[in-house]
Structure formats: C-alpha cells, structure tokens
Amino acid sequence: EEMAHFSDKYLGMNSYPIVHGVFGGKTGVRDEIMPGSLDGGDRSLGVIDACQGRFTLEELSQWLEQDSIVLFTSSKFYQAPPFCGAIILPKLIASKLKKAAPPSSMLIDKGLGAFVSDKELPACLDSWKPYLIDKRKNNVGLALRWEAGLSAMEALSEIPDVEKVSMIKSWADTVENMVESNEMLDTFCVERSIVSIRMKKNGGGCLNMSEARDLFRWMSLDVSSALPEASEEEKKSLSTPAFTGQPVSVSESYAIVRIALGADSLLSYAKDEVKTLEEDQMTVTKIGLIAKYFNTLKSSGF
C-alpha cells in the first residue's frame, strides 16, 4: 500500500518513481510486495533487493516478468567471499538499453568507470564498452569471488527447487523447536532459512546489542575454563567453537543472533540430516549457556 501510494504520488507529479523492495534482509524479513516497472521501465522502475539469495527460480521469473531489476549477490546464501554482486535485468529493459545511446558523460574514471570495466557488462550494454576499455583494469578479484559462488550454485542445481524448499522448511521447524525448548532463548522470527534468536537475561529482559556482540565473540571460543560451576555436559558445549550470524539490533532493549542455512549446510543437510541437526543443536545449546552464564563470563575478562 505504501509503495503504491508513493508511485501514484510521484507519477501524478510527472516524476519518475524508483520503487525499492527488499526480499529478505539480515533476519530474512521481506516486503509484502515486490515492485514491478511500469511500461517496461518507461514510467517507473521497480528494484528488488534479493541479495540474500534466498529465493526460488519461480520467484525470480515472476520478478523479471514484471520488469523488475533484481539485485543479487552470491556472498550470502551461496557463501562466496564478500563483494560478489550482480544485477539481473529483465529482457524488455535489456532490449531498451541495447537500443539507447550510451551515457558517455558518465562512463569516465570519475563516474561509472571507477566501479566497472567493459568486462563486467552484458551484451545489451555493448555500446558502453568502448568508453570503459582499459587493458590495465581487470577485476580478477570479482571473477574469483564469482567462481566460488558459481561452484555452490552448480552443486545445489542438482536438487529441484521443490525439494530445497521442503528441506529448508523441515530444517527451520526443527531448529525453531530447539530454540523454544531452551529456557534462556526464544524465537524472534523464522524467515525461510534464517532463524533469529533472542537471548534472555537471568534477571529479566534480553541481551542488548553490546551484550550480543560479546556472545557472538564467545561463541567461537572455548569459554569452559571461565565457568567452573558449569556441569561437565555444559562444559562440553561451552568448549566447542560454534558460529552464528552477526548480531542485529532490532530494538533499543534487545538484539538477536541468527542461525542460517547456507548452501554448504543445505548440501550437508541433504546428505546427512541427523549430523547437521546435531551441529545446530550444539550451537543452540551454547547460545543458551552463554546467556545463562553471561554475567560470570563478562566478569571473567574473556
């Protein structure tokens, strides 16, 4: 509704609205509607931030059919190194770009030339390439990062989308149950392959952003030596390095950490569901134990 109001307002002013929708941020929360482009981008432009990569081929097809420009990276779900982005253009907009004159005044070193070379451009932008050709500029880093991303995509391409969706739902339901079974934790939200977790304090309330950063750091360490009062079973979990997504501040009073299923872990889940869930259980248990013993860990100097 807000997107439609924005578009109608600026179209009525003979302006060109660019409408941005997010298909999953750090917690996986999505806008309800993904904006399309009006008249093939002649009257407005719909831009969809799908950088998390947690979408199906059917959803991607729907966005391109409504002439949305899709922002994508393989460094989130597909676990390639950071800064591994791409822009996916719908056919109609690509064909219009191919026929349009190149924006030569922008294709200079102090303009777009500072960000791209001729080698990163698609065929529909061939007319831009003469302005950007520089044999000294070869974005080898981007090519290598995309090699890593493509490797994960190719490995997952053997699993049909319907099976991937089913596995992700099964995994998320199981991890949510793990979280809800831990007295120190509760589920903030579950969005596809991301389970966001809120950590309770012994005296009431939940860990704030500063405290969640401490928890995030301790998760990768063996902190069992700082807690002699912990049971032997607890020390086993506390001594095992485990990893979560970085904490996210969602309110002034608390933050969350995330357990996310990426390409590697989805492949592991497909191969050995039990082993993958055992690792997730260890992670959930350690989060809960750090919340339980937070004050002691904080005063220990860890």
Side-chain angles (χ1 to χ4, degrees):
E1 185 177 334
E2 189 174 344
M3 287 183 184
H5 176 73
F6 173 87
S7 294
D8 291 343
K9 175 183 175 181
Y10 286 96
L11 286 168
M13 297 166 60
N14 292 321
S15 295
Y16 184 85
I18 299 175
V19 188
H20 180 250
V22 178
F23 195 79
K26 289 183 177 180
T27 62
V29 174
R30 307 183 296 277
D31 287 324
E32 291 183 6
I33 297 174
M34 295 298 112
S37 302
L38 294 177
D39 294 341
D42 288 343
R43 295 178 60 216
S44 74
L45 190 66
V47 180
I48 298 175
D49 179 346
C51 287
Q52 282 285 334
R54 302 174 195 275
F55 56 83
T56 64
L57 289 175
E58 181 180 358
E59 287 164 333
L60 177 60
S61 296
Q62 290 171 354
W63 301 335
L64 295 176
E65 284 172 8
Q66 64 181 23
D67 295 322
S68 304
I69 286 179
V70 181
L71 309 181
F72 174 67
T73 175
S74 63
S75 61
K76 303 296 184 183
F77 176 74
Y78 292 102
Q79 299 176 287
F83 306 110
C84 191
I87 299 174
I88 305 173
L89 299 174
K91 287 183 179 180
L92 182 56
I93 289 179
S95 67
K96 291 182 178 183
L97 286 170
K98 188 171 185 176
K99 297 174 184 176
S104 54
S105 62
M106 298 173 62
L107 303 176
I108 57 176
D109 285 344
K110 292 184 178 180
L112 287 175
F115 299 94
V116 295
S117 75
D118 60 299
K119 303 168 188 70
E120 288 95 64
L121 298 181
C124 66
L125 297 179
D126 279 346
S127 63
W128 294 24
K129 293 180 180 180
Y131 299 90
L132 295 168
I133 290 176
D134 187 336
K135 292 182 179 180
R136 298 169 300 172
K137 293 182 179 179
N138 296 288
N139 201 336
V140 177
L142 180 63
L144 291 173
R145 292 193 289 273
W146 266 105
E147 280 295 316
L150 288 170
S151 176
M153 291 181 199
E154 288 164 359
L156 273 178
S157 67
E158 298 179 7
I159 304 175
D161 261 4
V162 65
E163 289 185 28
K164 283 185 279 192
V165 170
S166 177
M167 285 192 293
I168 288 169
K169 177 68 165 60
S170 173
W171 172 86
D173 287 346
T174 305
V175 173
E176 181 182 12
N177 288 335
M178 293 176 187
V179 173
E180 293 300 317
S181 298
N182 191 303
E183 64 181 2
M184 296 303 299
L185 308 175
D186 67 21
T187 306
F188 174 72
C189 69
V190 178
E191 293 290 344
R192 298 203 177 185
S193 51
I194 302 176
V195 179
S196 298
I197 303 167
R198 183 165 43 197
M199 296 72 64
K200 300 175 186 177
K201 293 182 178 180
N202 280 315
C206 295
L207 298 187
N208 60 31
M209 187 60 179
S210 176
E211 293 164 334
R213 288 194 183 104
D214 286 330
L215 179 143
F216 176 74
R217 179 168 56 84
W218 292 332
M219 285 295 295
S220 64
L221 304 174
D222 175 356
V223 295
S224 59
S225 62
L227 299 166
E229 68 271 38
S231 68
E232 290 304 311
E233 187 65 25
E234 288 177 330
K235 287 180 180 178
K236 180 181 178 182
S237 296
L238 290 163
S239 67
T240 304
F243 301 94
T244 68
Q246 292 183 354
V248 178
S249 179
V250 293
S251 82
E252 292 182 0
S253 59
Y254 65 86
I256 56 97
V257 294
R258 298 156 292 140
I259 297 179
L261 197 66
D264 284 350
S265 46
L266 181 55
L267 287 166
S268 296
Y269 186 79
K271 182 178 180 180
D272 191 337
E273 179 179 326
V274 172
K275 182 180 178 182
T276 303
L277 290 173
E278 285 176 352
E279 293 172 355
D280 292 324
Q281 180 64 73
M282 182 69 76
T283 300
V284 171
T285 299
K286 187 169 184 178
I287 296 171
L289 288 171
I290 289 176
K292 176 182 176 180
Y293 292 112
F294 186 87
N295 291 336
T296 303
L297 283 167
K298 189 67 175 175
S299 61
S300 72
F302 248 98

CSV table of all heavy atoms in Angstrom, one decimal, residues 153-205:
chain,number,residue,atom,x,y,z
A,153,MET,N,26.4,-22.8,-6.5
A,153,MET,CA,25.1,-22.8,-7.3
A,153,MET,C,25.0,-24.1,-8.1
A,153,MET,O,24.0,-24.7,-8.2
A,153,MET,CB,25.1,-21.6,-8.2
A,153,MET,CG,24.9,-20.3,-7.5
A,153,MET,SD,24.8,-18.9,-8.7
A,153,MET,CE,25.1,-17.5,-7.6
A,154,GLU,N,26.1,-24.4,-8.7
A,154,GLU,CA,26.1,-25.6,-9.5
A,154,GLU,C,25.9,-26.9,-8.7
A,154,GLU,O,25.2,-27.8,-9.1
A,154,GLU,CB,27.5,-25.7,-10.3
A,154,GLU,CG,27.6,-24.7,-11.4
A,154,GLU,CD,29.0,-24.5,-11.9
A,154,GLU,OE1,29.9,-25.2,-11.3
A,154,GLU,OE2,29.3,-23.7,-12.8
A,155,ALA,N,26.5,-26.9,-7.5
A,155,ALA,CA,26.3,-28.1,-6.6
A,155,ALA,C,24.8,-28.2,-6.2
A,155,ALA,O,24.2,-29.3,-6.2
A,155,ALA,CB,27.2,-28.0,-5.4
A,156,LEU,N,24.1,-27.1,-5.9
A,156,LEU,CA,22.8,-27.1,-5.5
A,156,LEU,C,21.8,-27.3,-6.7
A,156,LEU,O,20.6,-27.6,-6.5
A,156,LEU,CB,22.4,-25.8,-4.8
A,156,LEU,CG,22.7,-25.8,-3.3
A,156,LEU,CD1,22.3,-24.4,-2.7
A,156,LEU,CD2,21.9,-26.8,-2.5
A,157,SER,N,22.2,-27.0,-7.9
A,157,SER,CA,21.3,-27.1,-9.0
A,157,SER,C,20.8,-28.5,-9.3
A,157,SER,O,19.8,-28.7,-10.0
A,157,SER,CB,22.1,-26.5,-10.3
A,157,SER,OG,23.1,-27.4,-10.6
A,158,GLU,N,21.5,-29.4,-8.7
A,158,GLU,CA,21.1,-30.8,-8.9
A,158,GLU,C,19.9,-31.2,-8.0
A,158,GLU,O,19.2,-32.2,-8.3
A,158,GLU,CB,22.2,-31.8,-8.6
A,158,GLU,CG,23.5,-31.6,-9.5
A,158,GLU,CD,24.6,-32.5,-9.1
A,158,GLU,OE1,24.4,-33.4,-8.2
A,158,GLU,OE2,25.7,-32.4,-9.7
A,159,ILE,N,19.5,-30.3,-7.1
A,159,ILE,CA,18.4,-30.5,-6.2
A,159,ILE,C,17.2,-29.7,-6.7
A,159,ILE,O,17.4,-28.4,-6.8
A,159,ILE,CB,18.7,-30.2,-4.8
A,159,ILE,CG1,19.9,-31.0,-4.3
A,159,ILE,CG2,17.5,-30.5,-3.9
A,159,ILE,CD1,20.4,-30.6,-2.9
A,160,PRO,N,16.1,-30.2,-7.1
A,160,PRO,CA,15.0,-29.4,-7.6
A,160,PRO,C,14.5,-28.4,-6.5
A,160,PRO,O,14.6,-28.7,-5.3
A,160,PRO,CB,13.9,-30.5,-7.9
A,160,PRO,CG,14.6,-31.8,-8.0
A,160,PRO,CD,15.8,-31.7,-7.1
A,161,ASP,N,14.0,-27.3,-7.0
A,161,ASP,CA,13.6,-26.2,-6.1
A,161,ASP,C,12.5,-26.7,-5.1
A,161,ASP,O,12.6,-26.4,-3.9
A,161,ASP,CB,13.0,-25.1,-6.9
A,161,ASP,CG,14.0,-23.9,-7.0
A,161,ASP,OD1,15.1,-24.1,-6.6
A,161,ASP,OD2,13.6,-22.9,-7.6
A,162,VAL,N,11.6,-27.5,-5.5
A,162,VAL,CA,10.6,-28.0,-4.6
A,162,VAL,C,11.2,-28.8,-3.4
A,162,VAL,O,10.7,-28.7,-2.3
A,162,VAL,CB,9.5,-28.8,-5.4
A,162,VAL,CG1,10.1,-30.1,-5.9
A,162,VAL,CG2,8.3,-29.2,-4.5
A,163,GLU,N,12.2,-29.6,-3.7
A,163,GLU,CA,12.9,-30.3,-2.7
A,163,GLU,C,13.7,-29.4,-1.7
A,163,GLU,O,13.7,-29.6,-0.5
A,163,GLU,CB,13.8,-31.4,-3.3
A,163,GLU,CG,13.1,-32.5,-3.9
A,163,GLU,CD,14.1,-33.6,-4.4
A,163,GLU,OE1,15.2,-33.7,-3.8
A,163,GLU,OE2,13.8,-34.3,-5.4
A,164,LYS,N,14.3,-28.4,-2.3
A,164,LYS,CA,15.1,-27.4,-1.5
A,164,LYS,C,14.1,-26.7,-0.5
A,164,LYS,O,14.4,-26.5,0.7
A,164,LYS,CB,15.8,-26.5,-2.4
A,164,LYS,CG,17.1,-27.0,-3.0
A,164,LYS,CD,17.9,-26.0,-3.7
A,164,LYS,CE,17.3,-25.8,-5.1
A,164,LYS,NZ,18.2,-25.0,-6.0
A,165,VAL,N,13.0,-26.3,-1.0
A,165,VAL,CA,12.0,-25.6,-0.2
A,165,VAL,C,11.5,-26.5,0.9
A,165,VAL,O,11.4,-26.0,2.1
A,165,VAL,CB,10.8,-25.1,-1.1
A,165,VAL,CG1,9.7,-24.6,-0.2
A,165,VAL,CG2,11.3,-24.0,-2.0
A,166,SER,N,11.3,-27.7,0.6
A,166,SER,CA,10.8,-28.7,1.6
A,166,SER,C,11.9,-28.9,2.7
A,166,SER,O,11.6,-28.9,3.9
A,166,SER,CB,10.4,-30.0,1.0
A,166,SER,OG,10.1,-31.0,1.9
A,167,MET,N,13.1,-29.1,2.3
A,167,MET,CA,14.2,-29.3,3.2
A,167,MET,C,14.4,-28.1,4.1
A,167,MET,O,14.7,-28.2,5.3
A,167,MET,CB,15.5,-29.6,2.5
A,167,MET,CG,15.6,-31.0,1.9
A,167,MET,SD,17.2,-31.5,1.3
A,167,MET,CE,17.5,-30.4,0.0
A,168,ILE,N,14.4,-26.9,3.5
A,168,ILE,CA,14.6,-25.7,4.3
A,168,ILE,C,13.5,-25.5,5.4
A,168,ILE,O,13.7,-25.2,6.5
A,168,ILE,CB,14.6,-24.5,3.4
A,168,ILE,CG1,15.9,-24.4,2.6
A,168,ILE,CG2,14.4,-23.2,4.2
A,168,ILE,CD1,16.0,-23.4,1.5
A,169,LYS,N,12.2,-25.8,5.0
A,169,LYS,CA,11.1,-25.8,5.9
A,169,LYS,C,11.3,-26.8,7.1
A,169,LYS,O,11.1,-26.4,8.2
A,169,LYS,CB,9.8,-26.1,5.2
A,169,LYS,CG,8.5,-26.1,6.0
A,169,LYS,CD,8.2,-24.7,6.6
A,169,LYS,CE,6.8,-24.7,7.1
A,169,LYS,NZ,6.5,-25.6,8.2
A,170,SER,N,11.7,-28.0,6.7
A,170,SER,CA,11.9,-29.0,7.8
A,170,SER,C,13.0,-28.6,8.7
A,170,SER,O,12.9,-28.7,9.9
A,170,SER,CB,12.3,-30.3,7.1
A,170,SER,OG,12.6,-31.3,8.0
A,171,TRP,N,14.1,-28.1,8.1
A,171,TRP,CA,15.3,-27.6,9.0
A,171,TRP,C,14.8,-26.5,9.9
A,171,TRP,O,15.1,-26.5,11.1
A,171,TRP,CB,16.4,-27.2,8.1
A,171,TRP,CG,17.5,-26.5,8.8
A,171,TRP,CD1,18.6,-27.2,9.4
A,171,TRP,CD2,17.7,-25.1,9.1
A,171,TRP,NE1,19.4,-26.3,10.0
A,171,TRP,CE2,18.9,-25.0,9.9
A,171,TRP,CE3,17.0,-24.0,8.8
A,171,TRP,CZ2,19.3,-23.8,10.3
A,171,TRP,CZ3,17.4,-22.8,9.2
A,171,TRP,CH2,18.6,-22.7,9.9
A,172,ALA,N,14.2,-25.5,9.3
A,172,ALA,CA,13.8,-24.3,10.1
A,172,ALA,C,12.8,-24.7,11.3
A,172,ALA,O,13.0,-24.2,12.4
A,172,ALA,CB,13.2,-23.3,9.2
A,173,ASP,N,11.9,-25.6,11.0
A,173,ASP,CA,10.9,-26.0,12.0
A,173,ASP,C,11.7,-26.7,13.2
A,173,ASP,O,11.4,-26.5,14.3
A,173,ASP,CB,9.9,-27.0,11.4
A,173,ASP,CG,8.9,-26.3,10.6
A,173,ASP,OD1,8.8,-25.0,10.6
A,173,ASP,OD2,8.2,-27.0,9.8
A,174,THR,N,12.6,-27.6,12.8
A,174,THR,CA,13.4,-28.3,13.8
A,174,THR,C,14.3,-27.4,14.7
A,174,THR,O,14.3,-27.5,15.9
A,174,THR,CB,14.3,-29.4,13.1
A,174,THR,OG1,13.5,-30.2,12.3
A,174,THR,CG2,15.0,-30.2,14.2
A,175,VAL,N,14.9,-26.4,14.0
A,175,VAL,CA,15.8,-25.5,14.8
A,175,VAL,C,14.9,-24.6,15.7
A,175,VAL,O,15.3,-24.3,16.8
A,175,VAL,CB,16.7,-24.7,13.8
A,175,VAL,CG1,17.4,-23.6,14.6
A,175,VAL,CG2,17.7,-25.6,13.1
A,176,GLU,N,13.8,-24.2,15.2
A,176,GLU,CA,12.9,-23.3,16.0
A,176,GLU,C,12.5,-24.1,17.2
A,176,GLU,O,12.4,-23.6,18.3
A,176,GLU,CB,11.7,-22.9,15.2
A,176,GLU,CG,10.7,-22.0,16.0
A,176,GLU,CD,9.5,-21.7,15.2
A,176,GLU,OE1,9.2,-22.2,14.1
A,176,GLU,OE2,8.7,-20.8,15.7
A,177,ASN,N,12.2,-25.4,17.1
A,177,ASN,CA,11.8,-26.2,18.3
A,177,ASN,C,13.0,-26.3,19.2
A,177,ASN,O,12.8,-26.3,20.5
A,177,ASN,CB,11.4,-27.6,17.8
A,177,ASN,CG,10.0,-27.6,17.1
A,177,ASN,OD1,9.2,-26.8,17.4
A,177,ASN,ND2,9.8,-28.6,16.3
A,178,MET,N,14.2,-26.4,18.7
A,178,MET,CA,15.4,-26.4,19.6
A,178,MET,C,15.4,-25.1,20.4
A,178,MET,O,15.7,-25.2,21.6
A,178,MET,CB,16.7,-26.5,18.8
A,178,MET,CG,16.9,-27.8,18.0
A,178,MET,SD,18.4,-27.7,17.0
A,178,MET,CE,18.3,-29.3,16.1
A,179,VAL,N,15.2,-24.0,19.7
A,179,VAL,CA,15.3,-22.7,20.4
A,179,VAL,C,14.2,-22.6,21.5
A,179,VAL,O,14.5,-22.2,22.6
A,179,VAL,CB,15.2,-21.6,19.4
A,179,VAL,CG1,15.1,-20.2,20.1
A,179,VAL,CG2,16.4,-21.6,18.4
A,180,GLU,N,13.0,-23.0,21.1
A,180,GLU,CA,11.9,-22.8,22.0
A,180,GLU,C,12.0,-23.8,23.2
A,180,GLU,O,11.4,-23.6,24.3
A,180,GLU,CB,10.6,-23.1,21.3
A,180,GLU,CG,10.2,-22.0,20.3
A,180,GLU,CD,10.1,-20.6,20.9
A,180,GLU,OE1,9.5,-20.5,22.0
A,180,GLU,OE2,10.7,-19.7,20.3
A,181,SER,N,12.8,-24.9,23.1
A,181,SER,CA,13.0,-25.8,24.2
A,181,SER,C,14.1,-25.4,25.2
A,181,SER,O,14.3,-26.0,26.2
A,181,SER,CB,13.4,-27.2,23.6
A,181,SER,OG,12.4,-27.7,22.8
A,182,ASN,N,14.8,-24.3,24.8
A,182,ASN,CA,15.8,-23.8,25.7
A,182,ASN,C,15.3,-22.6,26.5
A,182,ASN,O,14.8,-21.6,26.0
A,182,ASN,CB,17.0,-23.3,24.9
A,182,ASN,CG,18.2,-23.0,25.7
A,182,ASN,OD1,18.2,-22.2,26.6
A,182,ASN,ND2,19.3,-23.6,25.3
A,183,GLU,N,15.3,-22.7,27.9
A,183,GLU,CA,14.7,-21.7,28.7
A,183,GLU,C,15.3,-20.3,28.6
A,183,GLU,O,14.7,-19.4,29.1
A,183,GLU,CB,14.8,-22.2,30.2
A,183,GLU,CG,16.2,-22.4,30.8
A,183,GLU,CD,16.2,-22.9,32.2
A,183,GLU,OE1,15.1,-23.2,32.7
A,183,GLU,OE2,17.3,-22.9,32.8
A,184,MET,N,16.5,-20.2,28.1
A,184,MET,CA,17.2,-18.9,28.0
A,184,MET,C,17.0,-18.3,26.7
A,184,MET,O,17.5,-17.2,26.4
A,184,MET,CB,18.7,-19.1,28.3
A,184,MET,CG,19.1,-19.6,29.6
A,184,MET,SD,18.4,-18.5,31.0
A,184,MET,CE,19.3,-17.0,30.6
A,185,LEU,N,16.2,-18.9,25.8
A,185,LEU,CA,16.1,-18.4,24.4
A,185,LEU,C,14.6,-18.3,24.0
A,185,LEU,O,13.8,-19.1,24.5
A,185,LEU,CB,16.9,-19.3,23.4
A,185,LEU,CG,18.3,-19.6,23.7
A,185,LEU,CD1,18.9,-20.6,22.7
A,185,LEU,CD2,19.2,-18.3,23.7
A,186,ASP,N,14.4,-17.5,23.0
A,186,ASP,CA,13.1,-17.6,22.3
A,186,ASP,C,13.3,-17.1,20.9
A,186,ASP,O,14.3,-16.5,20.5
A,186,ASP,CB,11.9,-16.8,23.0
A,186,ASP,CG,12.1,-15.3,23.1
A,186,ASP,OD1,12.8,-14.8,22.2
A,186,ASP,OD2,11.4,-14.7,23.9
A,187,THR,N,12.4,-17.5,20.0
A,187,THR,CA,12.5,-17.2,18.6
A,187,THR,C,11.9,-15.8,18.3
A,187,THR,O,10.8,-15.6,18.6
A,187,THR,CB,11.7,-18.3,17.8
A,187,THR,OG1,12.1,-19.6,18.2
A,187,THR,CG2,11.9,-18.1,16.3
A,188,PHE,N,12.8,-15.0,17.7
A,188,PHE,CA,12.3,-13.7,17.3
A,188,PHE,C,11.5,-13.8,16.0
A,188,PHE,O,10.4,-13.2,15.9
A,188,PHE,CB,13.5,-12.7,17.1
A,188,PHE,CG,13.1,-11.4,16.6
A,188,PHE,CD1,12.5,-10.5,17.4
A,188,PHE,CD2,13.4,-11.1,15.3
A,188,PHE,CE1,12.1,-9.2,16.8
A,188,PHE,CE2,13.1,-9.8,14.7
A,188,PHE,CZ,12.4,-8.9,15.5
A,189,CYS,N,12.0,-14.5,15.1
A,189,CYS,CA,11.3,-14.8,13.8
A,189,CYS,C,12.0,-15.9,13.1
A,189,CYS,O,13.1,-16.2,13.3
A,189,CYS,CB,11.1,-13.5,13.0
A,189,CYS,SG,12.6,-12.9,12.2
A,190,VAL,N,11.2,-16.5,12.2
A,190,VAL,CA,11.8,-17.5,11.3
A,190,VAL,C,11.3,-17.1,9.9
A,190,VAL,O,10.2,-17.0,9.6
A,190,VAL,CB,11.2,-18.9,11.6
A,190,VAL,CG1,11.8,-19.9,10.6
A,190,VAL,CG2,11.6,-19.4,13.0
A,191,GLU,N,12.3,-16.9,9.0
A,191,GLU,CA,12.1,-16.5,7.7
A,191,GLU,C,12.9,-17.4,6.7
A,191,GLU,O,14.1,-17.2,6.6
A,191,GLU,CB,12.4,-15.0,7.4
A,191,GLU,CG,11.6,-14.0,8.1
A,191,GLU,CD,10.2,-13.9,7.6
A,191,GLU,OE1,9.9,-14.4,6.5
A,191,GLU,OE2,9.3,-13.4,8.3
A,192,ARG,N,12.2,-18.4,6.2
A,192,ARG,CA,12.8,-19.4,5.3
A,192,ARG,C,14.0,-20.0,6.0
A,192,ARG,O,13.9,-20.7,7.0
A,192,ARG,CB,13.2,-18.7,4.0
A,192,ARG,CG,11.9,-18.3,3.2
A,192,ARG,CD,12.2,-18.1,1.8
A,192,ARG,NE,10.9,-17.7,1.1
A,192,ARG,CZ,10.7,-17.6,-0.2
A,192,ARG,NH1,11.7,-17.9,-1.0
A,192,ARG,NH2,9.5,-17.2,-0.6
A,193,SER,N,15.2,-19.7,5.5
A,193,SER,CA,16.4,-20.4,6.1
A,193,SER,C,17.2,-19.6,7.1
A,193,SER,O,18.3,-19.9,7.3
A,193,SER,CB,17.3,-20.8,4.9
A,193,SER,OG,17.6,-19.7,4.1
A,194,ILE,N,16.5,-18.7,7.7
A,194,ILE,CA,17.1,-17.9,8.8
A,194,ILE,C,16.2,-18.0,10.0
A,194,ILE,O,15.0,-17.6,10.0
A,194,ILE,CB,17.3,-16.4,8.4
A,194,ILE,CG1,18.1,-16.3,7.1
A,194,ILE,CG2,17.9,-15.6,9.5
A,194,ILE,CD1,18.3,-14.9,6.6
A,195,VAL,N,16.8,-18.4,11.2
A,195,VAL,CA,16.1,-18.5,12.4
A,195,VAL,C,16.8,-17.4,13.3
A,195,VAL,O,18.0,-17.5,13.6
A,195,VAL,CB,16.2,-19.8,13.1
A,195,VAL,CG1,15.5,-19.8,14.5
A,195,VAL,CG2,15.6,-20.9,12.2
A,196,SER,N,16.0,-16.4,13.7
A,196,SER,CA,16.6,-15.3,14.5
A,196,SER,C,16.2,-15.5,16.0
A,196,SER,O,15.0,-15.8,16.3
A,196,SER,CB,16.0,-13.9,14.0
A,196,SER,OG,16.4,-13.7,12.7
A,197,ILE,N,17.2,-15.4,16.8
A,197,ILE,CA,17.1,-15.8,18.2
A,197,ILE,C,17.3,-14.6,19.2
A,197,ILE,O,18.3,-13.9,19.1
A,197,ILE,CB,18.1,-16.9,18.5
A,197,ILE,CG1,17.9,-18.1,17.6
A,197,ILE,CG2,18.0,-17.4,20.0
A,197,ILE,CD1,19.0,-19.1,17.6
A,198,ARG,N,16.4,-14.5,20.2
A,198,ARG,CA,16.6,-13.5,21.2
A,198,ARG,C,17.0,-14.3,22.5
A,198,ARG,O,16.6,-15.3,22.8
A,198,ARG,CB,15.2,-12.9,21.5
A,198,ARG,CG,15.2,-11.8,22.5
A,198,ARG,CD,13.9,-11.0,22.4
A,198,ARG,NE,12.7,-11.8,22.2
A,198,ARG,CZ,11.6,-11.4,21.7
A,198,ARG,NH1,11.4,-10.1,21.4
A,198,ARG,NH2,10.5,-12.2,21.6
A,199,MET,N,18.0,-13.7,23.2
A,199,MET,CA,18.7,-14.3,24.4
A,199,MET,C,18.2,-13.6,25.6
A,199,MET,O,18.3,-12.4,25.8
A,199,MET,CB,20.2,-14.2,24.3
A,199,MET,CG,20.8,-15.0,23.1
A,199,MET,SD,20.5,-14.2,21.5
A,199,MET,CE,21.4,-12.7,21.6
A,200,LYS,N,17.7,-14.4,26.6
A,200,LYS,CA,17.2,-13.8,27.8
A,200,LYS,C,18.3,-13.6,28.9
A,200,LYS,O,19.4,-14.2,28.8
A,200,LYS,CB,16.1,-14.8,28.4
A,200,LYS,CG,15.0,-15.1,27.5
A,200,LYS,CD,14.0,-16.1,28.1
A,200,LYS,CE,12.9,-16.5,27.2
A,200,LYS,NZ,12.0,-17.6,27.7
A,201,LYS,N,18.0,-12.7,29.8
A,201,LYS,CA,18.9,-12.5,30.9
A,201,LYS,C,18.4,-13.2,32.2
A,201,LYS,O,17.1,-13.3,32.3
A,201,LYS,CB,19.1,-11.0,31.2
A,201,LYS,CG,19.8,-10.2,30.1
A,201,LYS,CD,19.9,-8.7,30.6
A,201,LYS,CE,20.6,-7.9,29.6
A,201,LYS,NZ,20.8,-6.5,30.0
A,202,ASN,N,19.2,-13.6,33.1
A,202,ASN,CA,18.8,-14.2,34.3
A,202,ASN,C,17.9,-13.3,35.1
A,202,ASN,O,16.9,-13.8,35.7
A,202,ASN,CB,20.0,-14.7,35.1
A,202,ASN,CG,20.5,-16.0,34.6
A,202,ASN,OD1,19.8,-17.0,34.3
A,202,ASN,ND2,21.8,-16.1,34.5
A,203,GLY,N,18.2,-12.0,35.1
A,203,GLY,CA,17.4,-11.1,36.0
A,203,GLY,C,16.3,-10.5,35.3
A,203,GLY,O,15.6,-9.6,35.8
A,204,GLY,N,16.0,-11.0,34.1
A,204,GLY,CA,14.9,-10.4,33.3
A,204,GLY,C,15.4,-9.6,32.1
A,204,GLY,O,16.5,-9.1,32.1
A,205,GLY,N,14.5,-9.5,31.1
A,205,GLY,CA,14.9,-8.8,29.9
A,205,GLY,C,15.7,-9.7,29.0
A,205,GLY,O,15.9,-10.9,29.2
